[in-house]
Amino acid sequence: MSFAFFFAGQGSQSLNMMNGFEHIAVVKETFEQASQVLQQDLWAMINGSDSDLIAQTVNTQPIMLAAGVATYRAYLQAGGVAPNVVAGHSLGEYTALVVAGSLKFEDAVQLVRKRAQLMQNAVPQGEGAMAAILGLDDDKVREICAVAEQGDVVEAVNFNSQGQVVIAGNAAAVERAMTAAKAAGAKRALPLPVSVPSHCRLMKPAAEQLALALQNVDIATPQIRVIHNVDVASHSQADEIKDALVRQLYSPVRWTETVQLLANEGYTRTAECTPNKVLAGLAKRIDNRVSCAALVSQEAVEAFIRGE
């Protein structure tokens, strides 16, 4: 049976997130591999007690990459076969490219650390913000952002499911948009605990620097089809993939369209191959034809392989 895998991005991290795989050697080995590249113990970090530490962008990005790759390796070791297509939410796109054989894991670890540093440096601490707007349609959120900008930047940046859109930009403009969204009938307008306004045009300077960093990275033709965030399309050429990663940094994550595309192609059996349930929950809300397993433990992995 054909199926798709999804990989989560920033915001899905949590302390002890790999506990469901604590006795699987390849999982710890994957974290050790990433830790050697960065000269920093990521395994100790996720199994520590400081949630603020793993929430720092420069730590979150390599942690989530390692978590997704480790889960996928545990899946393969348990007898799982490669999915027909993969997609990652924002940062998760890098995990998808590693799994697809397009990007070497060690290169990806260095790349996402660099990406995180560039993003953090693009907007001074406290000047950027993100918020989730619940209960309004996409066009209404775009309209609210356009009015709220007032010389600043605020944009709809993550189309996560129908009625769930994340906005990002200058903190004052995000605040104005939240107030306007509530007045327009939004069920909720929630500030997100992040310091970097991802996927809006404030990230263009970071994207320019990322493009330079990507010049020195080898990217191969993916062995598994990868759906990219920026254009809801797959690419086979290295320059096209690099361009998609650069534009992704300052462009919206079109996740609703990604899941709809796969469902319309018949990929109704999917799994979130990161120890979390965020994308699994979104998939069901986006299209009720889609069943999405959450591979949060070795037991969940084995159940998916059995077809349960």
Side-chain angles (χ1 to χ4, degrees), residues 10-287:
Q10 199 162 330
S12 293
Q13 73 280 355
S14 61
L15 293 172
N16 306 308
M17 64 189 294
M18 301 306 297
N19 276 9
F21 300 92
E22 58 186 342
H23 302 303
I24 309 301
V26 73
V27 168
K28 192 168 184 187
E29 288 164 7
T30 301
F31 272 82
E32 287 171 353
Q33 196 179 352
S35 297
Q36 283 182 346
V37 171
L38 298 177
Q39 294 296 296
Q40 184 180 27
D41 193 338
L42 300 182
W43 187 258
M45 203 180 290
I46 64 166
N47 290 292
S49 58
D50 190 346
S51 58
D52 290 339
L53 186 63
I54 67 167
Q56 291 175 14
T57 299
V58 292
N59 296 326
T60 308
Q61 296 206 23
I63 282 170
M64 289 306 300
L65 174 74
V69 172
T71 303
Y72 186 72
R73 289 175 174 176
Y75 163 80
L76 290 181
Q77 194 175 72
V81 298
N84 305 82
V85 59
V86 292
H89 188 286
S90 187
L91 169 71
E93 192 165 293
Y94 289 79
T95 316
L97 287 166
V98 171
V99 162
S102 181
L103 189 56
K104 291 177 184 172
F105 179 52
E106 293 90 341
D107 289 345
V109 171
Q110 291 179 308
L111 194 55
V112 299
R113 168 58 61 84
K114 179 72 171 177
R115 178 180 184 266
Q117 291 167 336
L118 293 172
M119 292 170 71
Q120 192 69 69
N121 294 340
V123 180
Q125 190 85 13
E127 290 190 16
M130 298 182 77
I133 309 299
L134 308 181
L136 294 179
D137 67 41
D138 296 352
D139 286 340
K140 186 63 180 176
V141 175
R142 290 189 186 99
E143 179 187 315
I144 285 168
C145 287
V147 173
E149 284 203 327
Q150 297 176 25
D152 290 328
V153 170
V154 59
E155 298 171 351
V157 297
N158 288 3
F159 296 95
N160 288 334
S161 69
Q162 296 88 340
Q164 183 177 329
V165 179
V166 173
I167 62 173
N170 296 110
V174 170
E175 190 66 40
R176 288 193 294 270
M178 289 170 63
T179 300
K182 289 174 187 172
K187 291 177 184 174
R188 301 184 80 180
L190 305 167
L192 299 180
V194 295
S195 57
V196 175
S198 304
H199 301 293
C200 72
R201 63 184 184 273
L202 294 176
M203 288 293 114
K204 280 202 169 181
E208 291 167 4
Q209 294 299 310
L210 181 65
L212 295 176
L214 279 164
Q215 288 179 1
N216 302 315
V217 176
D218 290 330
I219 291 186
T221 300
Q223 300 306 298
I224 303 170
R225 181 178 164 214
V226 179
I227 307 297
H228 291 273
N229 292 174
V230 73
D231 53 9
V232 198
S234 52
H235 301 287
S236 59
Q237 302 300 314
D239 58 345
E240 294 174 343
I241 293 169
K242 289 178 180 182
D243 179 60
L245 292 176
V246 170
R247 288 189 294 134
Q248 186 220 55
L249 210 53
Y250 60 85
S251 303
V253 174
R254 295 163 62 182
W255 194 251
T256 303
E257 291 173 82
T258 298
V259 175
Q260 287 172 333
L261 170 75
L262 294 176
N264 289 335
E265 290 183 358
Y267 293 103
T268 54
R269 185 170 189 252
T270 68
E272 179 173 0
C273 193
T274 322
N276 197 276
K277 298 180 179 180
V278 173
L279 299 182
L282 290 178
K284 290 165 190 170
R285 287 203 290 276
I286 291 168
D287 195 310

Side-chain angles (χ1 to χ4, degrees), residues 283-294:
K284 290 165 190 170
R285 287 203 290 276
I286 291 168
D287 195 310
N288 59 19
R289 295 173 293 175
V290 176
S291 70
C292 189

